Amino acid sequence: MSGIGTSSARPDRSAIFPIEALGTLFDALRGRGYRLIGPTLRDGAIVYDDIASVDELPRGWSDEQSGGRYRLIRRGDDAVFGYAVGPHSWKRFLHPPRQRLWRAKRHGGEVQVTAEAVPEERLALIGIRACDLKAIAIQDRVLTGGSYLDPYYKARRERIFVVAVNCSVAGGTCFCASMQSGPKVTETFDLALTELCDDGMHAFVAEAATDEGRVVLAGLPHRPATGDEVDAAAAVVARTAASMGREMPSEGVRELLLRNLEHPRWDEVAARCLTCGNCTMVCPTCFCTTVEDASDVTGVESSRSQRWDSCFTMDFSYIHGGSVRASPQSRYRQWMTHKLATWFDQFGSSGCVGCGRCITWCPVGIDITEEVAAIRASEAH
Ligand code: SF4
Ligand code: SF4
């Protein structure tokens, strides 16, 4: 199981198994007590949800993405993982939008408070990409790496089985290659697959990186991959890396942004930004939450829940008497400088993995790479 802290496990020699064995893999995981979560078509997008069989995967589908635009398109083959990341990230399963913390019930003059039990469910995450594995590693540091750990995240995270997939296409808004977070899976997986769907062949080159991954792989009909098949898998990843839709400068972004906190570009982006918070909801690393209390109409039962929040709301920075970040300009600057600059100071890495979701799902197509490029270009003049 790819629990927290197993990221340095080294994969074994590659194996290969045919598409027909994917159902056997699903059965094996279900037999080991896992609930299967994977990609499926819903509401005009490829999202992550419970999957019962291989038939529910988006076979033959891909996507077109650009700033503020996402469209499903048909592929010319039967690839089941031939798409880039969609609107969902895996945080909705590990760090869900709403998590009840406790319930209270009045019994006459006494109140009984019951803390919400930590989940015991085991999740198999099917089709997870390199950028999203980096994002989970970042959320591990945020939610389990300090003095205040989130017991619900930790419990779910320790029980996952990761079936990762090396990307065979880059989305129009992807820039993971320039963030060194993809498209090849390098860490925190049990099994990593590369789909080969060409020349009459439809198979997966597979690597196992954990004991449980090795056991599961051993139970599938497979054979050692040949040198040509390993080369073909490497070529898939190389082609994807070479076709990224965007890029982010690899160095100096933190310093660039912190030098330019009063740059006029923040006003320009604020004039377009709707402060809707979409970018924070789709981002796989954004982790902020608020708490809400609710009670029934009789006042006998009440509960407290944690739910996702966004630095784009006025309430987020409300401190008695007013919001610290009242303007859209200050809220966009907070989000972007946290992601790309102060995250390094707080957690020792970038808060961005280059998945491109915030660009695709921004209703007005605001592009984090374009904003960095604009500020950088202004310094060159
Ligand atoms: S900031 Fe945007 S590109 Fe970076 S990880 Fe979040 S959603 Fe993906
Ligand atoms: S940058 Fe785009 S997605 Fe984010 S709050 Fe502004 S309008 Fe919404």
Side-chain angles (χ1 to χ4, degrees):
M1 178 184 317
S2 57
I4 300 170
T6 59
S7 60
S8 59
R10 290 180 66 80
D12 300 333
R13 204 170 145 233
S14 299
I16 189 164
F17 64 81
I19 176 75
E20 291 76 21
L22 208 50
T24 314
L25 171 62
F26 288 8
D27 290 343
L29 293 173
R30 218 175 280 113
R32 300 177 77 83
Y34 287 103
R35 173 184 160 201
L36 268 55
I37 311 290
T40 195
L41 287 178
R42 200 178 70 215
D43 302 330
I46 296 170
V47 300
Y48 303 131
D49 205 345
D50 286 277
I51 48 171
S53 77
V54 173
D55 293 340
E56 293 180 40
L57 297 176
R59 184 187 292 256
W61 287 97
S62 191
D63 50 69
E64 278 178 355
Q65 301 191 37
S66 58
R69 185 174 186 278
Y70 178 99
R71 295 287 181 278
L72 289 176
I73 55 168
R74 270 292 188 190
R75 292 176 57 91
D77 60 23
D78 275 344
V80 292
F81 296 113
Y83 55 86
V85 294
H88 283 179
S89 77
W90 301 90
K91 78 175 177 184
R92 70 183 299 103
F93 299 100
L94 300 178
H95 179 52
R98 182 171 288 272
Q99 167 68 56
R100 190 164 55 204
L101 301 175
W102 52 254
R103 279 177 291 182
K105 189 166 186 180
R106 188 195 304 275
H107 300 279
E110 295 203 351
V111 177
Q112 182 188 8
V113 179
T114 310
E116 190 73 9
V118 295
E120 294 185 356
E121 191 172 45
R122 305 173 82 200
L123 302 178
L125 310 182
I126 313 285
I128 188 165
R129 306 306 173 92
C131 61
D132 282 340
L133 285 175
K134 287 277 185 193
I136 289 175
I138 288 171
Q139 289 218 321
D140 285 351
R141 278 197 293 281
V142 174
L143 298 171
T144 68
S147 315
Y148 303 101
L149 65 83
D150 182 326
Y152 303 101
Y153 176 89
K154 183 169 181 287
R156 291 188 182 93
R157 175 68 182 84
E158 286 175 342
R159 293 175 173 81
I160 61 174
F161 185 98
V162 171
V163 180
V165 169
N166 288 313
C167 289
S168 59
V169 293
T173 56
C174 292
F175 55 100
C176 65
S178 59
M179 299 298 291
Q180 290 83 50
S181 53
K184 181 164 174 53
V185 171
T186 57
E187 59 182 329
T188 328
F189 63 87
D190 294 283
L191 284 179
L193 311 180
T194 308
E195 186 169 19
L196 300 181
C197 190
D198 211 357
D199 296 331
M201 174 193 240
H202 196 176
F204 295 95
V205 173
E207 293 172 325
T210 61
D211 289 344
E212 193 174 15
R214 281 183 269 279
V215 170
V216 170
L217 182 57
L220 305 181
H222 73 281
R223 61 169 171 76
T226 65
D228 283 351
E229 288 161 348
V230 171
D231 289 348
V236 165
V237 177
R239 214 169 41 234
T240 306
S243 59
M244 291 276 139
R246 303 278 197 283
E247 66 177 328
M248 180 72 84
S250 57
E251 291 194 351
V253 174
R254 175 185 173 278
E255 291 70 24
L256 174 78
L257 295 181
L258 296 183
R259 274 200 303 276
N260 286 287
L261 293 175
E262 302 302 330
H263 197 281
R265 184 74 189 186
W266 302 116
D267 294 324
E268 286 176 39
V269 71
R272 290 176 283 140
C273 177
L274 309 173
T275 65
C276 65
N278 264 19
C279 45
T280 56
M281 297 294 111
V282 295
C283 179
T285 65
C286 277
F287 58 86
C288 287
T289 55
T290 186
V291 288
E292 283 180 344
D293 293 344
S295 65
D296 67 358
V297 286
T298 64
V300 172
E301 291 188 38
S302 63
S303 65
R304 172 166 291 180
S305 297
Q306 168 182 287
R307 72 157 172 79
W308 287 355
D309 202 355
S310 169
C311 51
F312 280 93
T313 70
M314 286 284 277
D315 280 352
F316 187 82
S317 66
Y318 187 92
I319 299 173
H320 71 92
S323 287
V324 173
R325 289 187 285 273
S327 68
Q329 183 252 38
S330 63
R331 277 176 267 159
Y332 186 84
R333 182 181 61 187
Q334 157 64 24
W335 177 72
M336 191 166 135
T337 56
H338 190 209
K339 284 278 157 211
L340 300 175
T342 52
W343 206 293
F344 283 99
D345 307 323
Q346 204 176 358
F347 302 115
S349 74
S350 173
C352 174
V353 296
C355 72
R357 289 183 177 93
C358 58
I359 305 170
T360 299
W361 298 96
C362 172
V364 292
I366 290 172
D367 179 341
I368 190 170
T369 65
E370 198 179 299
E371 296 310 312
V372 168
I375 294 175
R376 174 172 283 230
S378 73
E379 282 199 341
H381 296 139

Coordinates of all heavy atoms in Angstrom, one line a residue, residues 24-76:
T24 N -9.3 -8.1 -14.4 CA -8.7 -9.0 -13.4 C -8.1 -8.1 -12.3 O -8.2 -8.4 -11.1 CB -7.7 -9.9 -14.0 OG1 -8.2 -10.5 -15.2 CG2 -7.3 -11.0 -13.0
L25 N -7.4 -7.0 -12.7 CA -6.8 -6.1 -11.7 C -7.9 -5.5 -10.8 O -7.8 -5.5 -9.6 CB -6.1 -5.0 -12.5 CG -5.6 -3.8 -11.6 CD1 -4.6 -4.3 -10.5 CD2 -4.9 -2.8 -12.5
F26 N -9.0 -5.1 -11.5 CA -10.1 -4.5 -10.7 C -10.7 -5.5 -9.7 O -10.9 -5.2 -8.5 CB -11.2 -4.0 -11.6 CG -10.8 -2.7 -12.4 CD1 -9.6 -2.2 -12.3 CD2 -11.8 -2.0 -13.1 CE1 -9.2 -1.0 -13.0 CE2 -11.5 -0.9 -13.8 CZ -10.2 -0.4 -13.8
D27 N -10.9 -6.7 -10.2 CA -11.4 -7.8 -9.3 C -10.5 -8.0 -8.1 O -10.9 -8.2 -7.0 CB -11.6 -9.1 -10.1 CG -12.8 -8.9 -11.1 OD1 -13.6 -8.0 -10.9 OD2 -12.9 -9.8 -12.0
A28 N -9.2 -8.1 -8.4 CA -8.2 -8.4 -7.4 C -8.2 -7.3 -6.3 O -8.2 -7.6 -5.1 CB -6.8 -8.4 -8.0
L29 N -8.3 -6.0 -6.7 CA -8.3 -4.9 -5.8 C -9.6 -5.0 -4.9 O -9.6 -4.8 -3.7 CB -8.2 -3.6 -6.5 CG -6.8 -3.3 -7.1 CD1 -6.8 -2.1 -8.0 CD2 -5.8 -3.3 -6.1
R30 N -10.7 -5.2 -5.6 CA -12.0 -5.4 -4.9 C -11.9 -6.5 -3.9 O -12.4 -6.4 -2.7 CB -13.2 -5.6 -5.9 CG -14.4 -4.8 -5.5 CD -15.5 -4.9 -6.5 NE -15.3 -4.0 -7.6 CZ -15.0 -4.3 -8.9 NH1 -14.9 -5.6 -9.2 NH2 -14.9 -3.4 -9.8
G31 N -11.3 -7.6 -4.3 CA -11.2 -8.8 -3.4 C -10.3 -8.5 -2.2 O -10.4 -9.1 -1.2
R32 N -9.4 -7.5 -2.3 CA -8.6 -7.1 -1.2 C -9.2 -6.1 -0.3 O -8.6 -5.5 0.6 CB -7.2 -6.6 -1.7 CG -6.4 -7.7 -2.5 CD -5.1 -7.1 -3.1 NE -4.1 -7.0 -2.0 CZ -3.3 -8.0 -1.7 NH1 -3.5 -9.2 -2.3 NH2 -2.5 -7.9 -0.7
G33 N -10.5 -5.8 -0.6 CA -11.2 -4.9 0.2 C -11.2 -3.4 -0.2 O -11.6 -2.5 0.6
Y34 N -10.8 -3.1 -1.4 CA -10.7 -1.7 -1.9 C -12.0 -1.3 -2.6 O -12.6 -2.1 -3.3 CB -9.5 -1.5 -2.8 CG -8.2 -1.5 -2.1 CD1 -7.4 -2.7 -2.2 CD2 -7.8 -0.5 -1.4 CE1 -6.2 -2.7 -1.6 CE2 -6.6 -0.5 -0.7 CZ -5.8 -1.6 -0.8 OH -4.6 -1.6 -0.2
R35 N -12.4 -0.1 -2.3 CA -13.4 0.6 -3.1 C -12.7 1.2 -4.3 O -11.7 2.0 -4.1 CB -14.1 1.7 -2.2 CG -15.1 2.6 -3.0 CD -15.6 3.6 -2.0 NE -16.2 4.8 -2.7 CZ -16.3 6.0 -2.2 NH1 -16.0 6.2 -1.0 NH2 -16.8 7.0 -3.0
L36 N -13.2 1.0 -5.5 CA -12.5 1.5 -6.7 C -13.0 2.8 -7.1 O -14.2 3.0 -7.4 CB -12.7 0.5 -7.9 CG -11.7 -0.6 -8.0 CD1 -11.5 -1.4 -6.8 CD2 -12.0 -1.5 -9.2
I37 N -12.1 3.8 -7.2 CA -12.4 5.1 -7.7 C -11.5 5.3 -9.0 O -10.3 5.1 -9.0 CB -12.0 6.2 -6.7 CG1 -12.5 5.9 -5.3 CG2 -12.5 7.6 -7.2 CD1 -14.0 6.0 -5.2
G38 N -12.2 5.7 -10.1 CA -11.5 5.9 -11.3 C -12.1 6.9 -12.2 O -13.2 7.4 -11.9
P39 N -11.6 7.1 -13.4 CA -12.1 8.0 -14.4 C -13.4 7.5 -15.1 O -13.4 6.3 -15.4 CB -11.0 8.2 -15.4 CG -10.2 6.9 -15.3 CD -10.3 6.4 -13.9
T40 N -14.3 8.3 -15.3 CA -15.5 8.0 -16.0 C -16.2 9.2 -16.6 O -15.8 10.3 -16.2 CB -16.5 7.2 -15.1 OG1 -17.5 6.6 -15.8 CG2 -17.2 8.2 -14.1
L41 N -17.0 9.0 -17.6 CA -17.7 10.2 -18.3 C -18.9 10.6 -17.5 O -19.7 9.7 -17.2 CB -18.1 9.8 -19.7 CG -17.1 9.6 -20.8 CD1 -17.8 9.1 -22.1 CD2 -16.3 10.8 -21.0
R42 N -19.0 11.9 -17.2 CA -20.2 12.4 -16.6 C -20.3 13.9 -16.8 O -19.3 14.6 -16.7 CB -20.2 12.1 -15.1 CG -21.6 12.1 -14.5 CD -21.6 11.8 -13.0 NE -21.0 12.9 -12.2 CZ -20.3 12.7 -11.1 NH1 -20.0 11.5 -10.7 NH2 -19.7 13.7 -10.5
D43 N -21.5 14.3 -17.2 CA -21.8 15.8 -17.3 C -20.8 16.4 -18.3 O -20.3 17.5 -18.1 CB -21.7 16.5 -16.0 CG -22.7 15.9 -15.0 OD1 -23.7 15.5 -15.4 OD2 -22.4 16.0 -13.8
G44 N -20.5 15.7 -19.4 CA -19.6 16.3 -20.4 C -18.2 16.4 -20.0 O -17.4 17.2 -20.6
A45 N -17.7 15.6 -19.1 CA -16.3 15.7 -18.7 C -15.9 14.3 -18.2 O -16.7 13.4 -18.0 CB -16.1 16.7 -17.5
I46 N -14.6 14.2 -18.0 CA -14.0 12.9 -17.4 C -13.7 13.3 -16.0 O -12.9 14.1 -15.6 CB -12.8 12.5 -18.2 CG1 -13.1 12.1 -19.6 CG2 -12.1 11.3 -17.4 CD1 -12.0 11.8 -20.5
V47 N -14.5 12.6 -15.1 CA -14.4 12.9 -13.7 C -14.0 11.6 -12.9 O -14.0 10.5 -13.5 CB -15.8 13.4 -13.1 CG1 -16.2 14.7 -13.8 CG2 -16.9 12.3 -13.3
Y48 N -13.7 11.7 -11.6 CA -13.4 10.5 -10.8 C -14.6 10.1 -10.0 O -15.3 11.0 -9.4 CB -12.2 10.8 -9.9 CG -11.0 11.2 -10.7 CD1 -10.3 12.3 -10.3 CD2 -10.6 10.5 -11.8 CE1 -9.1 12.7 -11.0 CE2 -9.4 10.9 -12.5 CZ -8.7 12.0 -12.1 OH -7.6 12.4 -12.8
D49 N -15.0 8.8 -10.0 CA -16.1 8.4 -9.3 C -16.0 6.9 -9.0 O -15.0 6.3 -9.5 CB -17.4 8.6 -10.2 CG -18.7 8.7 -9.3 OD1 -18.6 8.4 -8.1 OD2 -19.7 9.2 -9.8
D50 N -16.9 6.3 -8.3 CA -16.9 4.8 -8.1 C -17.0 4.2 -9.5 O -17.8 4.6 -10.3 CB -18.1 4.4 -7.2 CG -17.8 4.8 -5.8 OD1 -17.2 4.0 -5.1 OD2 -18.3 5.9 -5.4
I51 N -16.2 3.2 -9.7 CA -16.3 2.4 -10.9 C -16.5 0.9 -10.6 O -15.8 0.4 -9.8 CB -15.1 2.6 -11.9 CG1 -13.8 2.5 -11.2 CG2 -15.2 4.0 -12.6 CD1 -12.6 2.5 -12.2
A52 N -17.4 0.3 -11.3 CA -17.7 -1.1 -11.1 C -17.0 -2.0 -12.0 O -16.7 -3.1 -11.7 CB -19.2 -1.3 -11.2
S53 N -16.7 -1.5 -13.2 CA -16.0 -2.3 -14.2 C -15.2 -1.5 -15.2 O -15.4 -0.3 -15.3 CB -17.1 -3.2 -15.0 OG -17.7 -2.4 -15.9
V54 N -14.5 -2.2 -16.0 CA -13.6 -1.5 -17.1 C -14.5 -0.8 -18.1 O -14.1 0.2 -18.6 CB -12.8 -2.6 -17.8 CG1 -12.1 -2.0 -19.0 CG2 -11.8 -3.2 -16.8
D55 N -15.8 -1.3 -18.2 CA -16.7 -0.7 -19.2 C -17.0 0.8 -18.8 O -17.5 1.6 -19.6 CB -18.0 -1.4 -19.3 CG -17.8 -2.8 -19.9 OD1 -16.8 -3.0 -20.6 OD2 -18.6 -3.7 -19.6
E56 N -16.8 1.2 -17.6 CA -17.1 2.5 -17.1 C -16.0 3.5 -17.4 O -16.1 4.7 -17.2 CB -17.5 2.5 -15.7 CG -18.8 1.8 -15.4 CD -19.3 1.8 -14.0 OE1 -19.1 2.8 -13.3 OE2 -19.7 0.8 -13.5
L57 N -14.8 3.0 -17.8 CA -13.7 3.9 -18.1 C -14.0 4.6 -19.4 O -14.8 4.2 -20.2 CB -12.4 3.1 -18.3 CG -11.9 2.3 -17.0 CD1 -10.7 1.5 -17.3 CD2 -11.6 3.3 -15.9
P58 N -13.4 5.8 -19.6 CA -13.7 6.6 -20.8 C -13.0 6.1 -22.1 O -12.2 6.8 -22.7 CB -13.2 8.0 -20.4 CG -12.1 7.8 -19.4 CD -12.5 6.5 -18.7
R59 N -13.3 4.9 -22.4 CA -12.6 4.2 -23.6 C -12.9 5.0 -24.9 O -14.1 5.3 -25.2 CB -13.2 2.8 -23.7 CG -12.5 2.0 -24.8 CD -13.2 0.7 -25.0 NE -13.1 -0.3 -23.9 CZ -12.2 -1.3 -23.9 NH1 -11.5 -1.6 -25.0 NH2 -12.1 -2.1 -22.8
G60 N -11.8 5.4 -25.6 CA -12.0 6.1 -26.8 C -12.2 7.6 -26.7 O -12.5 8.2 -27.7
W61 N -12.1 8.1 -25.5 CA -12.4 9.6 -25.3 C -11.1 10.3 -24.9 O -10.3 9.8 -24.2 CB -13.5 9.8 -24.2 CG -14.8 9.4 -24.7 CD1 -15.5 8.2 -24.4 CD2 -15.7 10.2 -25.4 NE1 -16.7 8.3 -25.0 CE2 -16.9 9.5 -25.6 CE3 -15.7 11.5 -25.9 CZ2 -18.0 10.0 -26.3 CZ3 -16.8 12.0 -26.6 CH2 -17.9 11.2 -26.8
S62 N -11.1 11.5 -25.3 CA -10.0 12.4 -24.9 C -10.6 13.8 -24.6 O -11.9 13.9 -24.6 CB -8.9 12.5 -25.9 OG -7.8 13.2 -25.4
D63 N -9.8 14.8 -24.5 CA -10.3 16.2 -24.2 C -9.5 17.2 -24.9 O -8.3 17.0 -25.2 CB -10.4 16.4 -22.7 CG -9.0 16.1 -22.1 OD1 -8.1 16.8 -22.3 OD2 -9.0 15.1 -21.3
E64 N -10.1 18.4 -25.1 CA -9.4 19.6 -25.6 C -9.5 20.6 -24.5 O -10.7 20.8 -24.0 CB -10.1 20.1 -26.9 CG -9.7 19.4 -28.1 CD -10.5 20.0 -29.3 OE1 -11.4 20.9 -29.2 OE2 -10.2 19.6 -30.4
Q65 N -8.4 21.2 -24.1 CA -8.5 22.2 -23.1 C -7.7 23.4 -23.4 O -6.6 23.3 -24.0 CB -7.9 21.6 -21.8 CG -8.6 20.3 -21.3 CD -8.2 19.9 -19.9 OE1 -7.9 20.7 -19.0 NE2 -8.1 18.6 -19.7
S66 N -8.2 24.6 -23.0 CA -7.5 25.8 -23.1 C -8.1 26.8 -22.0 O -8.9 26.3 -21.3 CB -7.7 26.5 -24.5 OG -9.0 26.7 -24.8
G67 N -7.6 28.0 -22.0 CA -8.1 28.9 -20.9 C -9.6 29.0 -20.9 O -10.2 29.5 -21.9
G68 N -10.3 28.6 -19.9 CA -11.8 28.7 -19.8 C -12.5 27.8 -20.7 O -13.7 27.9 -20.9
R69 N -11.9 26.7 -21.2 CA -12.5 25.8 -22.2 C -12.1 24.4 -22.0 O -11.0 24.1 -21.9 CB -12.1 26.3 -23.6 CG -12.9 25.5 -24.7 CD -12.6 26.1 -26.1 NE -13.4 25.4 -27.1 CZ -13.1 24.3 -27.6 NH1 -12.0 23.6 -27.3 NH2 -13.9 23.8 -28.5
Y70 N -13.2 23.5 -22.0 CA -12.9 22.1 -21.9 C -14.0 21.4 -22.8 O -15.2 21.7 -22.7 CB -13.1 21.6 -20.4 CG -13.0 20.1 -20.2 CD1 -11.8 19.6 -19.7 CD2 -14.1 19.2 -20.4 CE1 -11.7 18.2 -19.5 CE2 -13.9 17.9 -20.2 CZ -12.8 17.4 -19.7 OH -12.6 16.0 -19.5
R71 N -13.5 20.5 -23.7 CA -14.5 19.8 -24.5 C -14.0 18.3 -24.6 O -12.8 18.1 -24.8 CB -14.5 20.3 -26.0 CG -15.0 21.7 -26.1 CD -16.5 21.8 -26.0 NE -17.0 23.2 -26.1 CZ -16.9 24.1 -25.2 NH1 -16.5 23.9 -24.0 NH2 -17.4 25.3 -25.5
L72 N -15.0 17.4 -24.5 CA -14.6 16.0 -24.8 C -14.5 15.8 -26.3 O -15.3 16.4 -27.1 CB -15.8 15.1 -24.3 CG -15.9 14.9 -22.8 CD1 -17.1 14.1 -22.4 CD2 -14.6 14.3 -22.2
I73 N -13.6 15.0 -26.7 CA -13.4 14.6 -28.1 C -13.2 13.1 -28.3 O -12.8 12.5 -27.3 CB -12.3 15.4 -28.8 CG1 -10.9 15.2 -28.1 CG2 -12.6 16.9 -29.0 CD1 -9.7 15.6 -28.9
R74 N -13.6 12.6 -29.4 CA -13.4 11.2 -29.7 C -11.9 11.0 -30.1 O -11.4 11.8 -30.9 CB -14.3 10.8 -30.8 CG -15.6 10.3 -30.4 CD -15.4 9.0 -29.6 NE -16.7 8.3 -29.3 CZ -16.7 7.3 -28.5 NH1 -15.6 6.8 -27.9 NH2 -17.8 6.7 -28.2
R75 N -11.3 9.9 -29.6 CA -10.0 9.5 -30.1 C -10.2 8.5 -31.3 O -11.3 8.1 -31.6 CB -9.3 8.7 -29.0 CG -8.9 9.5 -27.8 CD -8.3 8.6 -26.8 NE -7.1 7.9 -27.3 CZ -5.9 8.3 -27.2 NH1 -5.6 9.4 -26.6 NH2 -4.9 7.6 -27.7
G76 N -9.1 8.3 -32.0 CA -9.2 7.3 -33.1 C -8.9 5.9 -32.7 O -8.7 5.0 -33.6

